[in-house]
Each structure stands twice: as C-alpha cells, then as structure tokens.
Amino acid sequence: MGRPQDPVNTPMKIPFVDLQGQYRAIADEVRAAIEPVMANTRFILGEEVRLFEQEFAAFCGARHCVGVASGTDALHLALRALDIGPGDEVITQTNSYIATALAISYAGATPVFVDCDPKTCQIDVKQAEAVVTPRTKALLPVHLYGQPADMDAVQAIAKRHGLRVIEDACQAHGATYRGRPVGTFGDAAAFSFYPGKNLGAYGDGGAITTNDPALDTRLRAYRDYGQREKYFHDFKGFNSRLDTIQAAILRVKLKRLAAWNQSRQRAAATYSKVLSRIGIEPPRQVSHGTHIWHLYVIQVANRAVVQKRLGDAGVSTGIHYPVPIHLQKAYADLGRLRGSFPIAEAAADRILSLPMFPEITDEQVNHVASELAKAL
Ligand SMILES: *Cc1c(COP(=O)(O)O)cnc(C)c1O
C-alpha cells in the first residue's frame, strides 16, 4: 500500500454521526456483556433489563424506569397507562419527529399542535395554554435537540388546568433543567435508544421513567400483554419489551454517557466560537437548562444550496425536520394548512444540523466551519 496519503490532497470526509468510531472504542466490553446473555438465553426480560432499568432510573434521578421496545412505544404506553385515549386531546409541538404525534394517535387520542419559540425551537408555552379545551388531557413537550422545554411554565399550565404531563425526552438523555435531569418533571417521560441517540442501542429500544409506583406497575403490564402474572391478563396490553441483549449493551454505554455528553458540549462550544467569527448565529440555548447537543442545529437562508455544497465538500449534514408534522400527509386529516404555525414552518426551511458526535475533533469542527463559510 506504500506511503501514507498526502493529507493536503485528501479531502477530509466528516460523517454526520460516527457510530463505528464509538464501537471500536467499546467493542471488547460490549462483546463481553452480550456473551453471557447468549449463553443463559434469557433473551426476554432477563436480569440485564432489570439492572439497566435501575441504573437508568438512577441516572435520571427517577424512582422507576420501564424498558420498552422503542421511544415511540414509550410515549404510546405512557399515554395508555395514564388512561388517555379516544375523545382526548394532547397538546404538543408541530416541530418534532413525527413519532411524537403518532404515539398520541396510536393511543386513540388527538394531537393538538402548537408553534415553537423562534430562537430555541422549544414548545411555545403561551400557545399551549391558549389551545386547552375541556377535552385536553395532557401536555407533551419535547426536549428538542437535547435541551429542556420550559418545564416551570409547562407544569404551571398543567396545574391550572388539571392536565397530565408527558415529557418526550427521546433526544435529551442527561439534559438538565434547573440542575435536575429531565425525566422527572412530568407524570412520565419517554426515552429512545435508537442507535443515533445520545444513548443508543444496537437496534431499537426505549424506556419510560416515572416517580409514580402505580404507573410503574401499569407500564410493566402494558409492555407485556397486559399481564399481572403469567397468563392472567387484566387488560389488552402490548408486546413491547426492551431486549435483554440491548439492555446489556446499554449498560456498557450508560457508564460513558455523561462523558460523551461532555464531549458533545465541548464540540458545541468550539462550533459556537468559530461560527460566531464567520457571522453565523450559534443555536440559542434556553435559560435554566443544560444542552446535551443531540443535534447542533443552525439556521441558514438558501439551505438547499448550502447543504449541497457542504455535501460536495465531504461534510454530511441533516435536517431535523424538513416538514412540520401538521403539514405531513399523514396528518392531513387534521386540516391544518400552511400558515397555521408560521414560526415552525419558517424554521423548517432554514434549519441545518451539523455533524455532531462525542468523538468529533476540534480539527473536524474547524473544518466544517470553514467549509460552511465557503458554502455561504
Ligand atoms: C427518536 C425520537 C422518537 C422516537 O423514538 P424511536 O425509538 O425511534 O421510536 C420520538 N420523539 C423524538 C423527539 C425523537 O427524536
């Protein structure tokens, strides 16, 4: 193979996320964790699930954690276990991943969308209160991109109107609000362990955290065909369990999550410093919160051109998300037309997610910034 390539002539390729780099760093430990599960064959609700649930509850400062099959299921089962269903309305933001709304639909309830704050993209709490009706049962704020929603305001609205609160924490493992981790501000919180999330499994996975022991008991039955004990079914539950193998992997990764989040914070600080220098406004951070940078999202005019030029220069980017949920065909039945939520609609055309993962180096961040300056 001869001499190493001349770095001057090799364009630096920067992935959007780098799961392979992370795997190389922990491969031995992951294999050692999986091996006993293969040998003891307790693939469903084995010991590692119970241990991971305890450890993740402790990480979030929550009393209980119930492992399920995905983040979407975590939201869906939390709504079900809180008795939210047909005829009920659940208020959430239109600028989220569609799973937030789908979970409400799966429960048989109706999602009621609101707009977002133009700077932070977090749920517009004033609008959320304005759309409360006698049918409203719950608020479902999303800790979008890795920073917390305005939970003081959310909790105050819930209290005034007697509503439940379910946190969509699928992008916010370890983010804090007023010094406390997300996951305990609502009646329940949903986490996703989709591979690309800050805590990702090697497949699908999710969890619900709660401080309510009765809800914990109901959720354990809900994920397991509604059974109270084997073959005794009190209600029509679901098959939605976190695999033992995934729990074993997640236990290895959870030990590193705080350090990985810190690495993301360091990378974000570097991004924000160099982007300011080239005249790009860094993402606005909420007050009273820590951002764990699941995504580093800037806003640019001419997004399509900028994204194409970055791609041609070897820099992979993403858009989270190009179409607000109320404008998705899947939700055309709700009849919310373009213009209903102008802030989220305008943001959808301008947002651009830059490469972000714990292993990203300062050199890579600087390179993204200089390619971005050129692309603009
Ligand atoms: C990833 C995600 C979900 C869904 O999680 P899955 O594990 O993919 O089902 C829900 N809401 C938000 C905000 C997400 O980012």
Side-chain angles (χ1 to χ4, degrees), residues 133-206:
T133 74
R135 284 188 299 280
T136 307
K137 283 288 154 61
L139 300 170
L140 207 170
V142 182
H143 303 309
L144 195 71
Y145 302 151
Q147 63 178 340
D150 182 353
M151 293 313 292
D152 280 351
V154 168
Q155 287 175 320
I157 297 166
K159 204 164 166 207
R160 276 197 289 278
H161 301 276
L163 307 176
R164 299 293 203 166
V165 175
I166 297 130
E167 301 167 69
D168 184 337
C170 288
Q171 302 188 353
H173 322 68
T176 64
Y177 181 76
R178 293 197 188 276
R180 231 172 80 204
V182 301
T184 55
F185 291 91
D187 295 277
F191 290 87
S192 165
F193 307 126
Y194 179 81
K197 300 292 163 86
N198 286 35
L199 180 61
Y202 290 179
D204 279 308

Coordinates of all heavy atoms in Angstrom, one line a residue, residues 133-206:
T133 N -58.7 22.9 25.9 CA -60.1 22.8 25.9 C -60.6 21.8 27.0 O -59.8 21.2 27.6 CB -60.6 22.2 24.5 OG1 -60.4 20.8 24.5 CG2 -60.0 22.9 23.3
P134 N -61.9 21.7 27.2 CA -62.4 20.7 28.1 C -61.9 19.3 27.8 O -61.9 18.4 28.7 CB -63.9 20.8 28.1 CG -64.2 22.2 27.6 CD -63.0 22.5 26.6
R135 N -61.6 19.0 26.5 CA -61.1 17.7 26.2 C -59.6 17.4 26.4 O -59.2 16.3 26.3 CB -61.5 17.4 24.7 CG -63.0 17.1 24.5 CD -63.2 16.6 23.0 NE -62.8 17.7 22.1 CZ -63.6 18.7 21.8 NH1 -64.8 18.9 22.3 NH2 -63.2 19.6 20.9
T136 N -58.9 18.5 26.6 CA -57.4 18.4 26.8 C -57.1 17.5 28.0 O -57.6 17.8 29.1 CB -56.8 19.7 26.9 OG1 -57.2 20.6 25.9 CG2 -55.3 19.6 26.9
K137 N -56.3 16.5 27.8 CA -55.9 15.6 28.9 C -54.4 15.8 29.3 O -54.1 15.5 30.4 CB -56.2 14.2 28.6 CG -57.6 13.8 28.6 CD -58.1 13.6 30.1 CE -59.6 13.9 30.2 NZ -60.4 12.9 29.5
A138 N -53.6 16.2 28.3 CA -52.2 16.1 28.7 C -51.4 17.1 27.8 O -51.8 17.5 26.7 CB -51.6 14.7 28.4
L139 N -50.2 17.5 28.3 CA -49.3 18.3 27.6 C -48.1 17.4 27.3 O -47.7 16.6 28.2 CB -48.8 19.5 28.4 CG -49.8 20.5 28.9 CD1 -49.2 21.5 29.9 CD2 -50.3 21.3 27.7
L140 N -47.6 17.5 26.1 CA -46.5 16.6 25.7 C -45.4 17.4 25.1 O -45.2 17.5 23.8 CB -47.0 15.5 24.7 CG -46.3 14.2 24.6 CD1 -47.0 13.2 23.8 CD2 -44.8 14.3 24.2
P141 N -44.6 18.1 25.9 CA -43.5 18.9 25.4 C -42.3 18.0 25.0 O -42.1 16.9 25.6 CB -43.1 19.8 26.6 CG -43.4 18.9 27.8 CD -44.7 18.1 27.4
V142 N -41.6 18.5 24.0 CA -40.4 17.7 23.5 C -39.1 18.5 23.9 O -39.0 19.7 23.7 CB -40.4 17.6 22.0 CG1 -39.3 16.8 21.4 CG2 -41.8 17.0 21.5
H143 N -38.2 17.8 24.5 CA -36.9 18.4 24.9 C -36.1 18.3 23.6 O -35.2 17.5 23.4 CB -36.2 17.7 26.0 CG -37.0 17.6 27.3 ND1 -37.6 18.7 27.8 CD2 -37.4 16.6 28.1 CE1 -38.3 18.4 28.9 NE2 -38.2 17.1 29.1
L144 N -36.4 19.2 22.7 CA -35.9 19.1 21.3 C -34.4 19.4 21.2 O -33.9 20.4 21.7 CB -36.7 20.1 20.4 CG -36.6 19.8 18.9 CD1 -37.3 18.5 18.5 CD2 -37.2 21.0 18.1
Y145 N -33.8 18.6 20.4 CA -32.3 18.7 20.0 C -31.4 18.4 21.2 O -30.2 18.5 21.1 CB -32.0 20.1 19.4 CG -32.8 20.5 18.2 CD1 -33.0 21.8 17.9 CD2 -33.3 19.5 17.3 CE1 -33.8 22.2 16.8 CE2 -34.0 19.9 16.2 CZ -34.2 21.2 15.9 OH -34.9 21.6 14.8
G146 N -32.0 18.2 22.4 CA -31.1 17.9 23.5 C -31.2 19.0 24.6 O -30.4 18.9 25.6
Q147 N -32.1 19.9 24.5 CA -32.2 20.9 25.6 C -33.7 20.9 26.1 O -34.6 20.6 25.4 CB -31.7 22.2 25.3 CG -32.3 23.0 24.2 CD -31.7 24.4 24.1 OE1 -31.0 24.9 25.0 NE2 -31.8 25.0 23.0
P148 N -33.8 21.2 27.4 CA -35.2 21.0 28.1 C -36.1 22.1 27.6 O -35.8 23.3 27.3 CB -34.9 21.2 29.6 CG -33.6 22.0 29.6 CD -32.8 21.6 28.4
A149 N -37.4 21.7 27.5 CA -38.5 22.6 27.4 C -38.7 23.5 28.6 O -38.1 23.1 29.7 CB -39.8 21.8 27.1
D150 N -39.4 24.5 28.6 CA -39.7 25.4 29.7 C -40.6 24.7 30.7 O -41.8 24.9 30.7 CB -40.3 26.7 29.2 CG -40.5 27.7 30.3 OD1 -40.3 27.4 31.5 OD2 -40.9 28.9 30.0
M151 N -40.0 23.8 31.6 CA -40.9 23.0 32.4 C -41.6 23.7 33.5 O -42.6 23.2 33.9 CB -40.0 21.8 32.9 CG -39.6 20.8 31.8 SD -40.8 20.3 30.7 CE -41.9 19.3 31.7
D152 N -41.0 24.8 34.0 CA -41.8 25.6 35.0 C -43.1 26.0 34.4 O -44.2 25.9 35.0 CB -41.0 26.8 35.4 CG -39.9 26.5 36.4 OD1 -39.9 25.4 36.9 OD2 -39.1 27.4 36.7
A153 N -43.1 26.5 33.2 CA -44.3 27.0 32.5 C -45.2 25.8 32.2 O -46.5 25.9 32.5 CB -44.0 27.8 31.3
V154 N -44.7 24.7 31.7 CA -45.5 23.5 31.4 C -46.2 23.0 32.7 O -47.4 22.8 32.7 CB -44.6 22.4 30.8 CG1 -45.3 21.1 30.7 CG2 -44.1 22.8 29.4
Q155 N -45.4 22.9 33.8 CA -46.1 22.4 35.0 C -47.1 23.4 35.5 O -48.1 22.9 36.1 CB -45.0 22.2 36.0 CG -44.1 20.9 35.7 CD -43.0 20.8 36.7 OE1 -42.3 21.7 37.1 NE2 -42.7 19.5 37.1
A156 N -46.9 24.7 35.4 CA -47.9 25.7 35.9 C -49.2 25.5 35.1 O -50.3 25.6 35.6 CB -47.3 27.1 35.8
I157 N -49.1 25.4 33.7 CA -50.3 25.2 32.9 C -51.0 23.9 33.3 O -52.2 23.9 33.4 CB -49.9 25.2 31.4 CG1 -49.2 26.5 31.0 CG2 -51.1 24.9 30.5 CD1 -48.5 26.4 29.6
A158 N -50.2 22.9 33.5 CA -50.8 21.6 33.8 C -51.6 21.7 35.1 O -52.7 21.2 35.3 CB -49.7 20.5 33.9
K159 N -51.0 22.4 36.1 CA -51.7 22.6 37.4 C -52.9 23.4 37.3 O -54.0 23.0 37.8 CB -50.7 23.2 38.3 CG -50.9 23.0 39.8 CD -49.8 23.3 40.7 CE -50.3 23.3 42.1 NZ -49.5 24.2 43.0
R160 N -52.9 24.5 36.5 CA -54.0 25.3 36.4 C -55.2 24.6 35.7 O -56.4 24.9 36.0 CB -53.7 26.6 35.5 CG -53.1 27.7 36.3 CD -53.1 29.0 35.5 NE -52.2 29.1 34.4 CZ -50.9 29.3 34.4 NH1 -50.4 29.6 35.6 NH2 -50.2 29.4 33.3
H161 N -54.9 23.7 34.8 CA -56.0 23.1 34.0 C -56.2 21.6 34.4 O -56.9 20.9 33.7 CB -55.7 23.2 32.5 CG -55.6 24.7 32.1 ND1 -56.8 25.5 31.9 CD2 -54.6 25.5 32.0 CE1 -56.4 26.7 31.6 NE2 -55.0 26.8 31.6
G162 N -55.5 21.1 35.3 CA -55.6 19.7 35.7 C -55.2 18.7 34.6 O -55.9 17.7 34.3
L163 N -54.0 19.0 34.0 CA -53.5 18.1 32.9 C -52.4 17.2 33.3 O -51.6 17.6 34.3 CB -53.1 19.0 31.8 CG -54.1 20.1 31.2 CD1 -53.4 20.9 30.2 CD2 -55.3 19.4 30.7
R164 N -52.2 16.1 32.6 CA -51.1 15.3 32.8 C -49.9 15.9 32.0 O -50.2 16.6 31.0 CB -51.3 13.9 32.2 CG -52.5 13.2 33.0 CD -52.1 12.9 34.4 NE -52.9 11.8 34.9 CZ -52.5 11.1 36.0 NH1 -51.5 11.5 36.7 NH2 -53.3 10.1 36.4
V165 N -48.7 15.5 32.3 CA -47.5 16.0 31.5 C -46.7 14.7 31.2 O -46.3 13.9 32.1 CB -46.6 17.0 32.3 CG1 -45.4 17.3 31.5 CG2 -47.4 18.2 32.6
I166 N -46.4 14.6 29.9 CA -45.5 13.5 29.4 C -44.4 14.2 28.7 O -44.6 14.9 27.7 CB -46.3 12.5 28.5 CG1 -47.4 11.8 29.3 CG2 -45.3 11.5 27.9 CD1 -48.7 11.9 28.6
E167 N -43.2 14.0 29.2 CA -42.0 14.5 28.5 C -41.6 13.6 27.4 O -41.4 12.5 27.6 CB -40.8 14.7 29.5 CG -41.1 15.5 30.7 CD -39.9 15.2 31.7 OE1 -38.8 15.7 31.5 OE2 -40.2 14.6 32.8
D168 N -41.4 14.2 26.2 CA -40.7 13.5 25.1 C -39.2 13.8 25.3 O -38.7 14.8 24.8 CB -41.2 13.9 23.7 CG -40.5 13.1 22.6 OD1 -39.4 12.5 22.9 OD2 -41.1 13.0 21.5
A169 N -38.5 12.9 26.0 CA -37.1 13.1 26.3 C -36.2 12.2 25.3 O -35.1 11.9 25.7 CB -36.8 12.7 27.7
C170 N -36.8 11.9 24.2 CA -36.1 11.0 23.3 C -34.8 11.5 22.7 O -33.9 10.8 22.2 CB -37.0 10.6 22.1 SG -38.3 9.5 22.6
Q171 N -34.6 12.9 22.8 CA -33.3 13.5 22.3 C -32.5 14.1 23.5 O -31.6 14.8 23.2 CB -33.7 14.6 21.3 CG -34.5 14.1 20.1 CD -34.6 15.1 19.0 OE1 -34.2 16.3 19.2 NE2 -35.2 14.7 17.9
A172 N -32.9 13.7 24.7 CA -32.3 14.5 25.8 C -31.8 13.7 27.0 O -31.9 14.2 28.2 CB -33.4 15.5 26.3
H173 N -31.2 12.6 26.8 CA -30.7 11.7 27.9 C -29.6 12.5 28.7 O -28.5 12.6 28.1 CB -30.1 10.5 27.4 CG -30.8 9.8 26.2 ND1 -30.9 10.4 25.0 CD2 -31.5 8.7 26.1 CE1 -31.6 9.6 24.2 NE2 -32.0 8.6 24.9
G174 N -29.9 13.0 29.9 CA -28.9 13.6 30.7 C -29.0 15.2 30.6 O -28.2 15.8 31.3
A175 N -29.9 15.7 29.8 CA -30.1 17.2 29.8 C -30.7 17.5 31.1 O -31.4 16.7 31.7 CB -31.0 17.6 28.7
T176 N -30.4 18.7 31.6 CA -31.0 19.1 32.9 C -31.8 20.4 32.8 O -31.5 21.2 31.9 CB -29.9 19.3 34.0 OG1 -29.1 20.4 33.6 CG2 -29.0 18.1 34.2
Y177 N -32.7 20.6 33.7 CA -33.5 21.8 33.8 C -33.4 22.2 35.3 O -33.7 21.4 36.2 CB -34.9 21.5 33.4 CG -35.8 22.7 33.5 CD1 -35.8 23.7 32.5 CD2 -36.7 22.9 34.5 CE1 -36.6 24.9 32.6 CE2 -37.5 24.0 34.6 CZ -37.5 25.0 33.6 OH -38.3 26.1 33.7
R178 N -33.0 23.5 35.5 CA -32.7 23.9 36.9 C -31.9 22.9 37.7 O -32.3 22.6 38.8 CB -34.0 24.2 37.6 CG -34.8 25.4 37.0 CD -35.8 26.0 37.9 NE -36.6 27.0 37.2 CZ -36.3 28.3 37.1 NH1 -35.1 28.7 37.6 NH2 -37.1 29.1 36.5
G179 N -30.9 22.3 37.1 CA -30.0 21.5 37.8 C -30.5 20.0 37.9 O -29.7 19.2 38.5
R180 N -31.7 19.7 37.5 CA -32.2 18.3 37.6 C -32.4 17.7 36.3 O -32.8 18.4 35.3 CB -33.6 18.5 38.3 CG -33.8 17.6 39.5 CD -35.1 18.0 40.2 NE -36.2 17.4 39.5 CZ -37.5 17.8 39.5 NH1 -37.8 18.9 40.1 NH2 -38.4 17.2 38.8
P181 N -32.0 16.4 36.1 CA -32.1 15.8 34.8 C -33.6 15.7 34.4 O -34.5 15.6 35.2 CB -31.6 14.4 35.0 CG -31.0 14.3 36.4 CD -31.5 15.5 37.2
V182 N -33.8 15.8 33.1 CA -35.1 15.6 32.5 C -35.5 14.2 32.8 O -34.7 13.3 33.0 CB -35.2 16.0 31.0 CG1 -34.8 17.4 30.8 CG2 -34.4 15.0 30.2
G183 N -36.8 14.0 32.8 CA -37.3 12.6 33.0 C -38.1 12.5 34.3 O -38.7 11.4 34.6
T184 N -38.1 13.6 35.1 CA -38.9 13.5 36.4 C -39.8 14.7 36.5 O -40.4 15.0 37.5 CB -38.0 13.4 37.6 OG1 -37.1 14.5 37.6 CG2 -37.3 12.1 37.7
F185 N -39.9 15.6 35.4 CA -40.7 16.8 35.5 C -42.2 16.5 35.2 O -43.1 17.2 35.6 CB -40.2 17.9 34.6 CG -38.8 18.4 35.1 CD1 -37.7 17.8 34.7 CD2 -38.8 19.4 36.0 CE1 -36.4 18.3 35.1 CE2 -37.6 19.9 36.5 CZ -36.4 19.3 36.0
G186 N -42.5 15.4 34.5 CA -43.8 15.1 34.1 C -44.3 13.9 34.9 O -43.6 13.4 35.8
D187 N -45.5 13.5 34.6 CA -46.0 12.2 35.2 C -45.2 11.1 34.7 O -45.0 10.1 35.4 CB -47.5 12.0 34.8 CG -48.4 13.0 35.4 OD1 -48.8 12.9 36.5 OD2 -48.7 14.0 34.7
A188 N -44.7 11.2 33.5 CA -43.9 10.2 32.9 C -43.0 10.8 31.8 O -43.4 11.9 31.3 CB -44.7 9.1 32.2
A189 N -41.9 10.2 31.5 CA -41.0 10.7 30.4 C -40.6 9.5 29.5 O -40.4 8.4 30.0 CB -39.8 11.4 31.0
A190 N -40.5 9.8 28.2 CA -40.2 8.8 27.2 C -38.8 9.0 26.7 O -38.4 10.1 26.3 CB -41.2 8.8 26.1
F191 N -38.0 7.9 26.7 CA -36.6 8.0 26.1 C -36.6 7.0 24.9 O -37.2 5.9 25.0 CB -35.6 7.6 27.2 CG -35.4 8.6 28.2 CD1 -36.3 8.6 29.4 CD2 -34.5 9.6 28.1 CE1 -36.1 9.6 30.3 CE2 -34.3 10.6 29.1 CZ -35.1 10.6 30.2
S192 N -35.8 7.3 24.0 CA -35.5 6.4 22.8 C -34.0 6.0 22.9 O -33.1 6.8 23.2 CB -35.7 7.1 21.5 OG -35.2 6.4 20.4
F193 N -33.8 4.7 22.6 CA -32.4 4.2 22.4 C -32.1 3.8 21.0 O -31.3 2.9 20.7 CB -32.1 3.1 23.4 CG -32.5 3.4 24.8 CD1 -33.4 2.6 25.5 CD2 -31.9 4.5 25.4 CE1 -33.7 2.9 26.9 CE2 -32.3 4.8 26.8 CZ -33.1 4.0 27.5
Y194 N -32.8 4.5 20.1 CA -32.5 4.4 18.6 C -30.9 4.6 18.5 O -30.4 5.4 19.2 CB -33.3 5.4 17.9 CG -33.0 5.4 16.4 CD1 -33.6 4.5 15.5 CD2 -32.1 6.4 15.8 CE1 -33.4 4.5 14.2 CE2 -31.9 6.4 14.5 CZ -32.5 5.5 13.6 OH -32.3 5.5 12.3
P195 N -30.3 3.8 17.6 CA -28.8 3.9 17.6 C -28.2 5.2 17.6 O -27.1 5.5 18.2 CB -28.5 3.1 16.3 CG -29.6 2.1 16.2 CD -30.8 2.8 16.7
G196 N -28.8 6.2 16.9 CA -28.1 7.5 16.7 C -28.4 8.5 17.9 O -27.9 9.6 17.9
K197 N -29.2 8.1 18.9 CA -29.5 8.9 20.0 C -28.3 9.0 20.9 O -27.4 8.2 20.8 CB -30.7 8.4 20.8 CG -32.0 8.4 19.9 CD -32.5 9.7 19.5 CE -33.5 9.7 18.4 NZ -34.9 9.5 18.7
N198 N -28.3 10.0 21.9 CA -27.1 10.1 22.7 C -26.8 8.8 23.5 O -25.6 8.5 23.7 CB -27.3 11.3 23.7 CG -27.1 12.6 23.0 OD1 -27.5 12.8 21.9 ND2 -26.6 13.6 23.7
L199 N -27.8 8.1 23.9 CA -27.6 6.8 24.4 C -28.4 5.8 23.4 O -29.6 5.8 23.4 CB -28.2 6.6 25.8 CG -28.1 5.2 26.5 CD1 -26.6 4.8 26.6 CD2 -28.8 5.2 27.8
G200 N -27.6 5.1 22.6 CA -28.2 4.3 21.6 C -27.9 2.8 21.7 O -26.8 2.5 22.1
A201 N -28.9 2.0 21.4 CA -28.7 0.6 21.5 C -28.2 0.1 20.1 O -27.9 1.0 19.2 CB -30.1 -0.1 21.8
Y202 N -28.1 -1.2 19.9 CA -27.7 -1.7 18.6 C -28.9 -2.3 17.9 O -29.0 -3.5 17.5 CB -26.6 -2.8 18.8 CG -25.2 -2.2 19.2 CD1 -24.1 -3.0 19.5 CD2 -25.1 -0.8 19.4 CE1 -22.9 -2.4 19.9 CE2 -23.9 -0.2 19.8 CZ -22.8 -1.1 20.0 OH -21.6 -0.5 20.4
G203 N -29.9 -1.5 17.8 CA -31.2 -1.8 17.3 C -32.2 -0.8 18.0 O -31.8 0.2 18.5
D204 N -33.5 -1.2 18.0 CA -34.5 -0.3 18.6 C -34.6 -0.6 20.1 O -34.3 -1.7 20.6 CB -35.9 -0.6 18.0 CG -36.1 0.2 16.7 OD1 -35.8 1.4 16.7 OD2 -36.5 -0.4 15.7
G205 N -34.9 0.4 20.9 CA -35.2 0.3 22.3 C -35.7 1.6 22.8 O -35.6 2.6 22.2
G206 N -36.3 1.5 24.0 CA -36.8 2.8 24.7 C -37.1 2.5 26.1 O -36.9 1.4 26.6

